[in-house]
Amino acid sequence: MKKIFKLSLAAASLALITGAASAGIVSTPHNLTATGANPGPGPNKQSTTEQICVFCHTPHAANTAATAPLWNKAIPASTGYTTYSTANSSTIDGNVLAVGSVSAACLSCHDGTQAMDNLVNAPGSGGLNAAGSDRGYNWTTGANKITGVANLGKDLTNDHPIGIQYCGGGLTGSGATVSGTCADTDFNAPTTKSINGSQVFWVDTTGAGTRSKNDIILYTRTFTNNATGPSVECASCHDPHTDKAGTNSDVNFMRVTTSGSKICLACHTK
């Protein structure tokens, strides 16, 4: 009896772990399957497939031009976007690069120019197209591209800057040491560490001292002044694999809750 009880307890524990691990994007708008979070004829019904991950990732024949791992979509050209610059903003005090890094992966859907079912390696056999192609699954007319406020377009000047030096620039890093001083002092200092030979930066929101999904993730890029340091990208604030952050948050995919503007105050000292 005792042995049966232990086995039952172990099975229950495994079920809880599995359920937690699979919760992720299943109930969010990033579940683009026919039975996803918003099933029906609208833009979130992408195909008859039940493969949730395939709309962004593939285990084989991935797009190696993308920064995002095992990316399964064509990446948009970095040209044609209008971003923040000293020409259109008086508050910019750091370099702004062309669209790239992980933000290019996000914009492969969210700039509204490419179908959400543009895939390199479609479900099933014989679905490989190395350049990526729109698959035309079960669409209503024109519904294959993202719509509404999630369609950022190619004019990004009404969105939070991306490809911009964190805190106006002035920072580099080596090992666990951040060197330099923020050009704009109205920002919280980031943390840095060398991981697998790469220098990474983040704003520590948990106080753990180790980078986690609930921190503001900064991405290392080389700017036009030849300074290599932390950059703010789409995935700095957004985690595409989670639901809302915290019980009082009202926005999907945030790394930090929007309650009390904590997502803003994680970086900005106001």
Side-chain angles (χ1 to χ4, degrees), residues 11 14 101-103 106 115 129 136 159 164 212 218 231 248 250 260:
L14 180 60
S101 186
V102 70
S103 294
C106 301
N129 184 325
D159 304 293
I164 186 171
S212 78
L218 304 172
S231 171
N248 294 320
D250 54 1

Coordinates of all heavy atoms in Angstrom, one line a residue, residues 11 14 101-103 106 115 129 136 159 164 212 218 231 248 250 260:
A11 N 3.3 10.2 -9.6 CA 2.5 10.5 -10.9 C 1.8 11.8 -10.8 O 1.7 12.5 -11.8 CB 1.5 9.3 -11.1
L14 N 4.3 14.6 -11.3 CA 4.7 14.7 -12.7 C 3.6 15.4 -13.5 O 3.9 16.2 -14.3 CB 5.0 13.3 -13.2 CG 5.4 13.3 -14.7 CD1 6.7 14.1 -14.9 CD2 5.6 11.8 -15.1
S101 N 18.6 42.1 -34.6 CA 18.5 41.3 -33.4 C 17.2 40.6 -33.3 O 16.6 40.2 -34.3 CB 18.8 42.2 -32.2 OG 18.9 41.5 -31.0
V102 N 16.8 40.3 -32.1 CA 15.6 39.6 -31.9 C 14.3 40.3 -32.3 O 13.3 39.8 -32.6 CB 15.5 39.2 -30.4 CG1 15.2 40.4 -29.5 CG2 14.4 38.1 -30.1
S103 N 14.4 41.7 -32.4 CA 13.3 42.5 -32.8 C 12.8 42.1 -34.2 O 11.6 42.2 -34.6 CB 13.6 44.0 -32.7 OG 13.8 44.3 -31.4
C106 N 10.4 39.3 -34.1 CA 9.0 39.8 -33.7 C 8.3 40.5 -34.8 O 7.1 40.2 -35.1 CB 9.2 40.7 -32.5 SG 9.9 40.0 -31.0
A115 N 2.5 37.3 -43.8 CA 1.4 36.5 -43.3 C 1.9 35.8 -42.0 O 3.1 35.4 -41.9 CB 0.9 35.4 -44.3
N129 N 10.4 25.2 -47.4 CA 10.8 26.3 -48.4 C 11.8 27.2 -47.6 O 11.4 28.0 -46.8 CB 9.5 27.1 -48.8 CG 9.8 28.2 -49.8 OD1 10.9 28.8 -49.8 ND2 8.8 28.4 -50.7
G136 N -1.2 30.0 -46.7 CA -2.6 30.2 -47.1 C -3.6 29.2 -46.4 O -4.5 28.7 -47.1
D159 N 5.9 53.8 -31.3 CA 6.1 52.7 -30.4 C 7.4 52.9 -29.6 O 8.2 53.7 -29.9 CB 6.3 51.4 -31.2 CG 5.1 51.1 -32.1 OD1 4.0 50.9 -31.6 OD2 5.2 51.2 -33.3
I164 N 17.9 50.6 -29.6 CA 18.5 51.9 -29.0 C 19.4 51.5 -27.8 O 19.1 50.6 -27.1 CB 17.4 52.8 -28.6 CG1 17.9 54.2 -28.1 CG2 16.5 52.2 -27.5 CD1 16.8 55.2 -27.9
S212 N 16.9 36.1 -15.3 CA 15.7 35.3 -15.4 C 14.7 35.9 -16.4 O 14.8 37.0 -16.9 CB 15.0 35.2 -14.0 OG 14.3 36.4 -13.7
L218 N 18.3 42.8 -21.9 CA 19.0 43.7 -22.9 C 19.8 42.9 -23.8 O 20.4 41.9 -23.4 CB 19.8 44.8 -22.1 CG 19.0 45.6 -21.1 CD1 20.0 46.5 -20.3 CD2 18.0 46.5 -21.8
S231 N 21.4 46.9 -25.6 CA 20.4 47.5 -26.5 C 19.0 47.1 -26.1 O 18.8 45.9 -25.6 CB 20.6 47.0 -28.0 OG 19.6 47.4 -28.8
N248 N -2.5 41.1 -11.5 CA -3.1 42.4 -11.7 C -2.7 43.0 -13.0 O -3.0 44.2 -13.3 CB -2.7 43.4 -10.6 CG -3.4 42.9 -9.3 OD1 -4.5 42.5 -9.2 ND2 -2.6 43.0 -8.2
D250 N -2.7 43.5 -17.1 CA -3.7 43.5 -18.1 C -3.2 43.4 -19.5 O -4.0 43.6 -20.5 CB -4.7 44.7 -18.0 CG -3.9 46.0 -18.1 OD1 -2.7 46.0 -18.2 OD2 -4.6 47.1 -18.0
G260 N 0.8 49.3 -11.5 CA 1.6 50.3 -10.9 C 2.7 50.8 -11.8 O 3.7 51.4 -11.4

